[in-house]
């Protein structure tokens, strides 16, 4: 029997699988291939849209569907279709309009099932677009009528981000949504109950894998639920303190081939 049969390994991308300069090391790639060759299912759960995940899929060739939108959907890259997704209510426009009114220089971005709209630009959104390579597709957020999976706000100024977080969390409709800090410059509105942890559970269910046989690793606040939910949760050494506290184990940093280190740990642990 193959060593990792019946196991599901989910990694975060930025700050975890990727090095700081957005590369995947040969050591990590070799470890992923070994894990898959021994019967394991390897994939990722990311905050990204599937539109920006094609390159990483071609590189690591996940042998399971992956999670996107910070847990808002599961996408099958072979079938090129969603297996599951959840959308925001149409009246998410209310808190967005409040942010637009009170913080007029805040970047705003709507993610629908098949498009990313840059509704309001600033330097942080320009940076986001440069990093992801997304086209500059613009549209007034009040004119979007297709299902929205998440809304992203962006700003480089930490004081502005703090104002944004306080404004959203005290909005009269706040209890109807979930919010997550996905990067230092990004804050997101998600459908209620959406998280990387919950989508890990959904993926395991779809694949017929017990949660005790799941492994997850991450580095930032949006990874905490996933790390906690997994049968074995790892934090990379460069993770924020909250992720390290949530993890069962802390491994090496994203600069030191963290995925390879975890596969080596599993290789030595699984009999």
């Amino acid at each position: 029997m193959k060593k990792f049969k019946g196991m599901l390994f989910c990694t975060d991308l930025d700050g975890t699988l990727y090095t700081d300069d957005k590369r995947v090391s040969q050591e990590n790639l070799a470890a992923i291939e070994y894990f898959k060759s021994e019967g394991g299912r390897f994939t990722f759960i990311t905050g990204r849209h599937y539109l920006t995940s094609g390159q990483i899929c071609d590189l690591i060739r996940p042998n399971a569907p992956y999670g996107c939108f910070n847990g808002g959907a599961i996408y099958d890259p072979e079938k090129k279709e969603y297996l599951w997704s959840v959308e925001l209510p149409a009246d998410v426009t209310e808190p967005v309009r409040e942010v637009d009114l009170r913080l007029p220089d805040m970047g705003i971005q709507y993610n629908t099932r098949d498009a990313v709209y840059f509704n309001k630009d600033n330097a942080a959104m320009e940076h986001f677009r440069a990093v992801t390579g997304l086209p500059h597709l613009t549209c007034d957020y009040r004119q979007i009528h297709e299902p929205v999976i998440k809304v992203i706000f962006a700003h480089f100024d930490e004081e502005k981000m703090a104002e944004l977080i306080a404004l959203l969390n005290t909005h009269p409709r706040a209890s109807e949504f979930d919010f997550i800090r996905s990067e230092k410059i990004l804050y997101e509105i998600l459908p209620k109950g959406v998280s990387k942890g919950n989508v890990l559970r959904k993926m395991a269910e779809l694949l017929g894998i017990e949660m005790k046989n799941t492994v997850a690793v991450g580095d930032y606040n949006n990874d905490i639920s996933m790390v906690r939910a997994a049968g074995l949760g790892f934090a990379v050494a460069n993770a924020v303190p909250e992720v390290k506290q949530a993890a069962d184990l802390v491994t090496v940093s994203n600069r030191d081939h963290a995925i390879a280190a975890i596969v080596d740990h599993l290789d030595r642990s699984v009999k």
Side-chain angles (χ1 to χ4, degrees), residues 52-263:
T52 66
S53 302
Q55 186 176 17
I56 190 63
C57 281
D58 291 342
L59 184 62
I60 68 172
R61 297 180 297 171
N63 60 350
Y66 64 85
C68 45
F69 302 111
N70 276 318
I74 298 173
Y75 190 78
D76 188 327
E78 291 190 0
K79 296 180 179 178
K80 299 188 184 308
E81 66 182 26
Y82 290 103
L83 302 183
W84 173 87
S85 66
V86 60
E87 290 84 34
L88 284 161
D91 51 11
V92 70
T93 303
E94 289 184 25
V96 174
R97 187 183 293 115
E98 185 74 9
V99 170
D100 193 13
L101 178 66
R102 302 271 296 275
L103 299 170
D105 61 344
M106 183 65 62
I108 303 172
Q109 178 197 130
Y110 269 43
N111 283 228
T112 68
R113 288 171 60 90
D114 296 305
V116 175
Y117 295 100
F118 291 90
N119 311 105
K120 196 165 189 179
D121 244 352
N122 63 6
M125 276 302 178
E126 290 174 6
H127 172 77
F128 183 102
R129 199 158 49 249
V131 169
T132 60
L134 284 164
H136 193 184
L137 184 61
T138 61
C139 180
D140 189 306
Y141 60 86
R142 288 159 291 202
Q143 301 303 313
I144 295 175
H145 303 298
E146 56 194 287
V148 178
I149 296 184
K150 71 173 184 176
V151 177
I152 300 178
F153 300 98
H155 209 290
F156 280 126
D157 189 322
E158 181 59 30
E159 290 187 5
K160 293 285 187 181
M161 292 299 289
E163 288 183 54
L164 168 73
I165 292 168
L167 178 59
L168 286 175
N169 280 275
T170 57
H171 191 276
R173 303 283 306 284
S175 63
E176 300 173 33
F177 308 100
D178 279 345
F179 307 103
I180 193 72
R181 186 99 180 242
S182 53
E183 288 187 29
K184 186 176 177 59
I185 67 169
L186 303 178
Y187 197 68
E188 305 184 6
I189 303 180
L190 299 171
K192 193 69 179 177
V194 160
S195 70
K196 286 191 175 187
N198 284 340
V199 87
L200 173 60
R201 295 184 184 94
K202 187 69 177 178
M203 289 169 66
E205 177 187 337
L206 290 173
L207 295 169
I209 292 174
E210 295 183 58
M211 282 302 295
K212 68 179 182 180
N213 294 326
T214 61
V215 179
V217 57
D219 74 302
Y220 207 66
N221 297 66
N222 57 329
D223 300 317
I224 292 172
S225 63
M226 174 176 72
V227 169
R228 283 180 174 156
L232 185 59
F234 287 85
V236 286
N238 54 289
V240 297
E242 294 86 350
V243 179
K244 292 179 180 178
Q245 291 166 8
D248 298 300
L249 294 168
V250 177
T251 187
V252 299
S253 80
N254 66 323
R255 298 178 296 278
D256 297 317
H257 327 300
I259 305 306
I262 294 171
V263 172

